[in-house]
């Protein structure tokens, strides 16, 4: 009788073991999610089609400004860069008071270069718009976080911290 119970318990354990062996640990699931995110970022960067969503503005010589409650972004396409970013800092000759504030433009980049490093992508572009030349430098981590630096002829430079995402497709009205 004792041998039958032991044998039955052993058989039940053998059937239960494969179920536990198939489950992935939290660490494995997290790693898979991380690799999937890296793959998505790589596809967007290679296609030169993505949106940088700014969360913090870092003006030169001033305190950082939390802008996460607003929708500030820079949208990259191979043939167009659209910027809807705020500006905090000093303006130089050529940019009077009043008028358009912020770094707002939609223009074709004259130059756009993407380099892949060991830990991040370095994306640089030059855009001429609104009687100014903007030199854009985006350092983008493989998981989507990034730092955007904008240098202008008429203003002091400013940086932004944020994340990169896929552009939201808008349906065209007929």
């Amino acid at each position: 009788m004792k041998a039958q119970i032991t044998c039955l318990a052993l058989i039940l354990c053998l059937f239960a073991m494969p179920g536990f062996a198939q489950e992935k640990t939290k660490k494995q699931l997290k790693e898979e999610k991380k690799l999937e995110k890296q793959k998505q970022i790589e596809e967007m960067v290679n296609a030169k089609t993505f949106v940088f969503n700014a969360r913090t503005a870092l003006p030169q010589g001033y305190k950082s400004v939390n802008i996460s409650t607003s929708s500030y972004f820079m949208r990259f396409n191979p043939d167009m860069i659209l910027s809807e970013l705020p500006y905090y800092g000093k303006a130089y000759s050529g940019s009077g008071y009043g008028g358009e504030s912020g770094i707002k433009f939609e223009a074709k980049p004259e130059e756009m270069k993407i380099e892949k490093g060991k830990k991040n992508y370095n994306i640089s572009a030059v855009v001429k718009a609104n009687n100014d030349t903007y030199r854009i430098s985006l350092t983008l981590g493989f998981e989507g976080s990034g730092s955007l630096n904008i240098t202008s002829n008429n203003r002091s430079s400013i940086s932004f911290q944020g994340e990169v995402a896929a552009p939201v497709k808008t349906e065209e009205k007929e």
Side-chain angles (χ1 to χ4, degrees):
M1 180 77 171
K2 200 174 197 183
Q4 289 176 337
I5 293 174
T6 305
C7 187
L8 184 62
L10 185 60
I11 291 171
L12 288 175
C13 286
L14 290 174
F15 283 117
M17 285 289 210
F20 292 116
Q22 297 298 322
E23 290 184 24
K24 295 180 181 179
T25 64
K26 287 183 183 180
K27 188 175 181 179
Q28 289 171 324
L29 291 172
K30 188 176 180 182
E31 188 65 29
E32 284 180 7
K33 202 174 199 182
K34 180 180 172 182
L35 290 173
E36 180 64 29
K37 179 73 172 175
Q38 288 176 357
K39 184 179 175 185
Q40 289 173 350
I41 297 295
E42 183 176 20
E43 288 173 1
M44 287 188 293
V45 170
N46 289 338
K48 297 180 183 177
T49 305
F50 54 89
V51 177
F52 175 81
N53 295 305
R55 300 288 174 242
T56 305
L58 304 160
Q60 186 177 15
Y62 297 93
K63 291 181 179 180
S64 64
V65 180
N66 181 356
I67 56 174
S68 61
T69 57
S70 300
S71 178
Y72 292 115
F73 64 90
M74 183 173 282
R75 183 177 300 132
F76 290 81
N77 287 314
D79 56 345
M80 193 68 61
I81 296 179
L82 172 65
S83 176
E84 289 288 333
L85 294 169
Y87 180 76
Y88 307 95
K90 293 181 182 177
Y92 303 121
S93 65
S95 63
Y97 290 99
E100 187 66 32
S101 62
I103 301 173
K104 298 179 182 184
F105 61 82
E106 183 173 9
K108 181 176 180 137
E110 291 187 3
E111 302 171 25
M112 189 164 179
K113 187 168 63 170
I114 298 174
E115 296 175 353
K116 184 176 181 180
K118 290 182 180 180
K119 296 184 180 181
N120 54 30
Y121 294 98
N122 292 309
I123 302 160
S124 59
V126 176
V127 176
K128 288 188 178 179
N130 304 333
N131 297 322
D132 203 350
T133 300
Y134 299 98
R135 285 169 293 292
I136 301 164
S137 176
L138 174 62
T139 302
L140 177 60
F142 292 146
E143 293 180 29
S145 63
S147 175
L148 176 69
N149 185 35
I150 302 173
T151 306
S152 154
N153 289 343
N154 297 331
R155 300 175 181 182
S156 60
S157 65
I158 186 168
S159 296
F160 297 91
Q161 299 291 328
E163 298 89 33
V164 167
V168 177
K169 295 184 181 184
T170 56
E171 294 181 19
E172 294 182 20
K173 294 181 181 177
E174 296 179 7

